[in-house]
């Protein structure tokens, strides 16, 4: 009996170590992503100082709406974490889907802005400002799209792994990723859109 308890404890310890490693690995990924975006922000700021553009081409009302949508999706994402923690599978499904819908709506507005700018002739080839602008906003949009695919994967996982610790860790990692994109967007909103109108 003692041998079985000891064996079970060893298995649990190995699982915990594996999950800790996964979480640590994901933090490393987020740090590398942080460096990537920091580099893009630095390039944008340098170019922004040297290139004069008319910021009225940006619709701040729409951008503000995008920000609200993304922040709401983050609240839904937080509810997903709580739902999985307390094993409320129905709420897990509902709020994962709501997070997906909010993320999709945000991405739609982002793509729509690109489409409008290109129609007005403001393409990435126009000058250094638009090149850095499309790269920065586009990279954020690609991350949002990846997050949406991740949600689809989690919806499939929820059926099989709903009560497992592995699923909870997956949800925590996704939540970190989604909140990270929120922070990046707040920086974009402040540096690219708001400060551009003030300077």
């Amino acid at each position: 009996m003692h041998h079985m308890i000891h064996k079970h404890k060893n298995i649990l310890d190995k699982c915990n170590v594996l999950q800790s490693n996964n979480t640590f690995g994901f933090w490393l990924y987020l740090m590398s992503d942080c460096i990537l975006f920091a580099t893009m922000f630095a390039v944008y700021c340098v170019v922004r100082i040297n290139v004069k553009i008319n910021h009225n081409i940006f619709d701040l009302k729409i951008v503000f709406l995008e920000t609200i949508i993304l922040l709401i999706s983050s609240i839904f994402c937080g509810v997903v974490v709580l739902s999985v923690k307390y094993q409320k599978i129905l709420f897990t499904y509902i709020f994962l889907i709501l997070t997906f819908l909010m993320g999709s709506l945000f991405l739609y507005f982002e793509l729509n802005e690109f489409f409008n700018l290109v129609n007005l002739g403001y393409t990435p080839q126009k000058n250094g400002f638009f090149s850095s602008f499309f790269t920065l906003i586009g990279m954020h949009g690609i991350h949002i799209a990846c997050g949406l695919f991740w949600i689809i994967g989690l919806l499939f996982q929820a059926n099989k792994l709903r009560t497992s610790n592995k699923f909870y860790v997956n949800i925590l990692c996704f939540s970190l990723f989604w909140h990270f994109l929120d922070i990046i967007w707040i920086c974009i909103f402040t540096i690219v859109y708001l400060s551009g109108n003030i300077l």
Side-chain angles (χ1 to χ4, degrees), residues 132-146:
S132 61
F133 171 83
F134 275 94
T135 303
L136 178 59
I137 309 296
M139 183 57 72
H140 182 264
I142 289 171
H143 278 71
I144 290 288
C146 290

Side-chain angles (χ1 to χ4, degrees), residues 119-138:
N119 270 350
L120 292 169
Y122 300 114
T123 63
Q125 294 82 16
K126 187 174 179 62
N127 56 38
F129 171 81
F130 285 104
S131 179
S132 61
F133 171 83
F134 275 94
T135 303
L136 178 59
I137 309 296

Side-chain angles (χ1 to χ4, degrees), residues 5 13 35 60 84 88 96-97 102 105 125 137 144 154 161 163 167 172-173 196:
I5 292 173
D13 287 343
I35 293 169
L60 276 186
V84 175
K88 305 291 183 187
L96 270 176
I97 291 170
M102 289 290 110
L105 193 58
Q125 294 82 16
I137 309 296
I144 290 288
L154 289 172
L161 307 173
T163 57
F167 183 59
L172 282 180
C173 287

Side-chain angles (χ1 to χ4, degrees), residues 185-197:
W185 180 256
I186 294 298
C187 293
I188 290 174
F189 181 65
T190 307
I191 296 172
V192 176
Y193 293 101
L194 287 186
S195 66
N197 272 271

